[in-house]
Amino acid sequence: MGSNSDSPCYQATPEDQIGELYAATRRLMTAENRSEVATIAVETATAILDFPFSVFWEATDSGLKAEAISEPLREHVEVPDEPGRRMRHERGSWLWDHYESDETQRVLVDEEKAASDAPLHGCISVPLPEYGLLTAGTDERAEPTERETQLADILGKNVLSTLERIERERELKRQRDNLDLLNQIVRHDLTNHLQTISGRAELLRDQCSGDALEHADGIQESSQAAAELLETAGNLATVMRQTDWETEPVALGPVLSSVSEDIAATYSDAQVTVPDESPSVRVRADELLSSVFRNVLTNAIQHNDSAVPSVVIDVIDDGDVVHVTVADDGPGIPDEQKQAVFERGEKRLDSDGTGVGLYLVRTLVDAYGGDVWVEDNEPTGTVVGVTLRKAAGDA
């Protein structure tokens, strides 16, 4: 293989070359941007081929410009920090033809064709469609070998795959950001409209009777249900965007107290019973823990056919975990539906809802490393249990 004429001759072994390719693949897997990929590509091409003159060329509307160059090549470039200002190949040049060919090629290069004054003779070019070109040049007056070409081709495929992965991730992030913005705008505006609807319905109740009063109550109930669905949908959207879950110690007592008070205020015709003493334990969760219990309690009341729906919350300390149970006196859930109610889009037979509330509960509790289950209550009704891991120091 070629080497810089001013440096000692070194022949990389096949094992060395495979090792460099493997190391480069691992580096490329964690690369976060094009510039980082270009640097890795140039360093690897130089190392595995022992070709001193490696370049990552960026494809532009006017041609190719150097984005990253190997260290030995910097000696021959007047502006080493901005090689693209000096090293260029316009459209129609021999190197541009290589880029458009979509095939890895090996050639002997006339020094007059080079973009620098480097003593370039042999060259391998690896097209990176839509992105640019990777070249590795040698000062030896011989055409690169078939094996050298194969190694460069493998490296090029890994580089291209990484560039495509980064592009996909960038596009996904852009889409997520747009959805986040849309979600914030829609939730904010709809929440304001629903509050206005509910407030006006309340004013109408004071001036209505008979059927009109029933319609005013229906408006309030519908706006309340829509507000709850909007909050659940927003929380579910947050969950679905998560890739890595990070939990933190969350005090269980304040969360249960806050949620139960809100539910009792919202459903004034229901009876919500909480433990005599607020639990002092902390659990592994995040800011969405309140959504878990809000959905469980809401589900217990909405599907309760009792004249005065009753819901009892209990907390059981069990070593490294804590169990929170929500027992209602409703009609219960058939055995064949007990696990299905936690699936996405599944709902009770008597439900007019979307079936996303308990799915959100299951998703969040799973992310926290906990468990959720359903069993019969005695003499009638359902018990929904949520098991959460205690935070370090609370076990």
Side-chain angles (χ1 to χ4, degrees):
M1 294 185 186
S3 62
N4 192 311
S5 58
D6 296 330
S7 62
C9 181
Y10 170 74
Q11 185 76 27
T13 67
E15 292 78 11
D16 292 335
Q17 295 169 328
I18 297 301
E20 290 287 350
L21 270 177
Y22 176 74
T25 300
R26 293 183 63 86
R27 292 175 65 191
L28 289 169
M29 289 173 62
T30 60
E32 297 181 352
N33 53 63
R34 180 192 179 105
S35 177
E36 187 177 354
V37 173
T39 299
I40 295 172
V42 165
E43 291 175 353
T44 306
T46 304
I48 64 173
L49 301 175
D50 194 24
F51 283 17
F53 310 129
S54 301
V55 183
F56 184 101
W57 302 89
E58 177 188 0
T60 68
D61 291 339
S62 60
L64 300 168
K65 68 175 184 178
E67 183 169 346
I69 63 176
S70 59
E71 286 299 325
L73 186 55
R74 288 181 177 272
E75 303 174 10
H76 306 278
V77 180
E78 292 180 358
V79 191
D81 292 334
E82 299 181 58
R85 290 179 54 186
R86 165 71 188 276
M87 298 180 62
R88 291 176 174 270
H89 279 273
E90 304 301 322
R91 281 177 173 269
S93 68
W94 68 275
L95 199 59
W96 179 265
D97 290 341
H98 281 216
Y99 164 65
E100 289 192 322
S101 72
D102 288 341
E103 294 182 1
T104 297
Q105 300 184 49
R106 46 183 175 155
V107 295
L108 286 174
V109 182
D110 186 329
E111 291 185 24
E112 294 181 358
K113 295 181 179 180
S116 71
D117 59 359
L120 178 65
H121 297 299
C123 175
I124 300 174
S125 63
V126 185
L128 308 171
E130 307 300 327
Y131 298 98
L133 188 75
L134 176 63
T135 60
T138 175
D139 51 4
E140 282 196 352
R141 296 181 179 278
E143 183 177 298
T145 67
E146 180 65 29
R147 175 174 173 76
E148 291 166 344
T149 306
Q150 291 175 348
L151 290 170
D153 187 67
I154 294 172
L155 173 60
K157 286 182 170 60
N158 289 341
V159 169
L160 179 59
S161 176
T162 301
L163 291 170
E164 292 172 341
R165 185 258 300 168
I166 291 174
E167 186 67 25
R168 288 194 301 270
E169 291 175 350
R170 183 182 294 111
E171 178 61 21
L172 286 174
K173 183 180 184 305
R174 185 189 66 80
Q175 293 176 0
R176 283 197 300 268
D177 290 344
N178 288 341
L179 288 174
D180 285 344
L181 179 60
L182 178 62
N183 183 34
Q184 291 173 12
I185 293 174
V186 169
R187 290 181 67 186
H188 178 270
D189 289 355
L190 284 181
T191 298
N192 287 341
H193 287 312
L194 290 170
Q195 288 174 346
T196 300
I197 292 171
S198 181
R200 292 189 175 185
E202 181 65 26
L203 292 175
L204 286 174
R205 289 187 80 260
D206 297 335
Q207 305 174 35
C208 296
S209 61
D211 291 343
L213 179 59
E214 183 179 343
H215 288 310
D217 288 339
I219 293 173
Q220 277 197 306
E221 291 175 1
S222 295
S223 62
Q224 176 182 305
E228 292 172 351
L229 177 59
L230 187 61
E231 180 178 1
T232 298
N235 290 336
L236 186 58
T238 299
V239 170
M240 295 176 70
R241 289 194 302 273
Q242 293 279 17
T243 53
D244 296 318
W245 280 91
E246 293 186 6
T247 61
E248 59 186 9
V250 177
L252 180 61
V255 172
L256 287 177
S257 296
S258 176
V259 172
S260 59
E261 289 173 4
D262 288 346
I263 293 296
T266 302
Y267 299 94
S268 57
D269 60 340
Q271 181 180 358
V272 180
T273 304
V274 299
D276 293 334
E277 293 186 8
S278 178
S280 59
V281 67
R282 297 179 306 163
V283 297
R284 299 300 306 179
D286 62 10
E287 71 277 3
L288 292 178
L289 179 61
S290 61
S291 184
V292 170
F293 298 117
R294 181 172 288 107
N295 277 284
V296 172
L297 287 168
T298 299
N299 187 77
I301 293 174
Q302 288 183 345
H303 300 287
N304 197 316
D305 56 1
S306 302
V308 179
S310 174
V311 178
V312 178
I313 303 172
D314 196 12
V315 179
I316 303 170
D317 194 316
D318 188 16
D320 293 337
V321 299
V322 59
H323 308 292
V324 180
T325 60
V326 176
D328 66 59
D329 60 348
I333 302 176
D335 290 341
E336 63 271 16
Q337 293 184 39
K338 281 184 169 61
Q339 289 304 313
V341 294
F342 294 108
E343 300 300 324
R344 181 167 57 184
E346 293 294 331
K347 53 187 179 181
R348 299 188 188 185
L349 296 178
D350 61 343
S351 175
D352 294 326
T354 60
V356 299
L358 291 182
Y359 170 70
L360 175 62
V361 169
R362 162 71 77 181
T363 303
L364 286 171
V365 173
D366 283 349
Y368 300 155
D371 191 19
V372 60
W373 76 95
V374 176
E375 60 187 25
D376 293 329
N377 193 19
E378 295 296 339
T380 183
T382 301
V383 177
V384 175
V386 176
T387 298
L388 298 169
R389 296 182 300 146
K390 289 184 182 179
D394 286 60

